[in-house]
Amino acid sequence: MIFSTRYSYIVLCVGLAAVFFWFGINKFIHPGTQLIYIGTQFGYIQGIFEVLIGLSLVSGVFTRFFSLLGVVLLVAIIVVAGFNEIAVRDLGLIGGLLAIFLWPERR
């Protein structure tokens, strides 16, 4: 019973939500540490989107929309920052968000 797609989906959503909450809140607590390659205003906007993605993943509201928004946001970061260790991390997050986006409808 513990090995089911329902629990897999929940664990995936909660795990990704924790990461996006961390990223989003961190942009407000320490705005100068992660905004080397982007402007401060964009960093705050990015932080808001990351918190909204986390809230969506935890609440289950508009999950597909926000998971796709997360993919677009992470791809934009890779394009702006270039391919480095952050991009490799973001590729893993993109994979998780795409899994949520493509997850079969729950009935």
Side-chain angles (χ1 to χ4, degrees):
M1 225 13 131
I2 193 168
F3 298 107
S4 71
T5 56
R6 178 179 179 195
Y7 293 122
S8 298
Y9 184 81
I10 292 169
V11 169
L12 182 60
C13 285
V14 170
L16 285 172
V19 171
F20 277 97
F21 279 135
W22 179 272
F23 288 169
I25 293 170
N26 195 37
K27 286 189 178 50
F28 292 99
I29 295 173
H30 305 289
T33 59
Q34 298 180 359
L35 304 175
I36 296 168
Y37 56 91
I38 56 176
T40 304
Q41 295 291 31
F42 181 75
Y44 289 138
I45 293 169
Q46 181 183 348
I48 290 169
F49 280 124
E50 289 171 347
V51 169
L52 287 174
I53 291 166
L55 283 172
S56 171
L57 292 172
V58 168
S59 68
V61 178
F62 300 117
T63 307
R64 285 188 180 209
F65 171 76
F66 279 104
S67 63
L68 189 60
L69 178 68
V71 169
V72 171
L73 179 68
L74 292 171
V75 168
I77 291 170
I78 291 172
V79 169
V80 171
F83 195 79
N84 53 25
E85 63 276 355
I86 294 172
V88 173
R89 176 205 62 200
D90 289 349
L91 286 175
L93 294 173
I94 288 170
L97 289 171
L98 283 175
I100 291 171
F101 179 74
L102 297 171
W103 205 273
E105 284 290 325
R106 297 180 297 165
R107 295 181 189 225

